[in-house]
Amino acid sequence: MKASRIAAAGAVSGIAVLALSAPAFAHVSVQPEGTAAKGGYAVVDFKVPNERDNASTTKLEVSFPTDHPLASVMPQPVPGWKAVVTKAKPAKPLESHGKQITEVVTKVTWTADGKGVEPGYFQKFPVSIGALPEDTDQLVFKAIQTYSNKEVVRWIEVPQEGQEEPETPAPVLQLAAAEDDAHGAAGSSDAKAEDTGADAQNTAADASASDSGSGDGSDTTARVLGIVGIVVGAAGVGYGVLAGRRRDSGTAA
């Protein structure tokens, strides 16, 4: 009986690890490179995993928030992808460095020139954005992922606090508290702002190059934990079966 309980516990633990590790790399997400502080500038990465075994991701459309428009949006070139920036007139007057902003970016579309994101891989799309709003704690970016087989996945459901994560959640960027440096960047001259954006883009380029060679650490850890869970579960089952056979043999003798 004890051996059977051990086997069952091992199997359950393996399944639990898999269940916990799967969401870590399941959907399109957005993360800052460093800190995304209110009132400042930041480089953010839209991370796109391929969830299909028989198709590649060939297109990504990211809609930028219209309730908190961003005066500066500059996508970093990604090898093998063409980026198209869509602009529109802001609903409310917007200023940046003392200048009136007549157009803001409402969407960035990346289209693959080649194979795109193949099964078993992911891709990061870095974008320099700012100045970040000071009257909200987060920005929601709705995304649409298109596969080579024409399948379309709409990551547009806004997660609600206190509720379970929706099946196709929209990427959400959490904003940190405003810093002195962030305010300085927002209120500096155009030249300083451009230098800040250029430095941030260079940082993004280094990070992107590193990611392409080594992969994402958190995803790798999740996969390893999943495999370990399976091994532990299988070992538990095997031990239970073997113990049961020995007990039966002893009774027969």
Side-chain angles (χ1 to χ4, degrees), residues 190-217:
D190 291 341
K192 184 176 180 180
E194 291 176 359
D195 290 342
T196 302
D199 291 342
Q201 287 189 12
N202 289 335
T203 300
D206 294 340
S208 180
S210 175
D211 287 335
S212 63
S214 60
D216 185 80

Side-chain angles (χ1 to χ4, degrees), residues 25 27-31 33 44-51 56-62 76-83 110-127 143 145-147 155 171 204-216 219 223:
F25 48 90
H27 54 76
V28 175
S29 60
V30 59
Q31 292 293 333
E33 295 185 3
V44 298
D45 294 329
F46 292 96
K47 181 181 175 184
V48 182
N50 193 320
E51 298 182 296
S56 298
T57 296
T58 56
K59 186 177 181 181
L60 174 69
E61 301 172 70
V62 176
Q76 177 183 308
V78 178
W81 294 79
K82 178 183 178 181
W110 289 270
T111 305
D113 291 334
K115 296 181 179 180
V117 186
E118 298 183 86
Y121 291 87
F122 72 92
Q123 178 66 54
K124 287 184 178 182
F125 298 89
V127 182
Q145 182 179 13
T146 302
Y147 287 90
W155 305 99
D206 294 340
S208 180
S210 175
D211 287 335
S212 63
S214 60
D216 185 80
D219 286 358
R223 294 174 187 271

Side-chain angles (χ1 to χ4, degrees), residues 157-183:
E157 297 181 85
V158 181
Q160 302 296 327
E161 186 176 356
Q163 298 183 12
E164 293 185 1
E165 184 179 69
E167 184 177 352
T168 54
V172 177
L173 176 66
Q174 300 296 335
L175 302 182
E179 300 176 355
D180 291 340
D181 291 343
H183 282 295

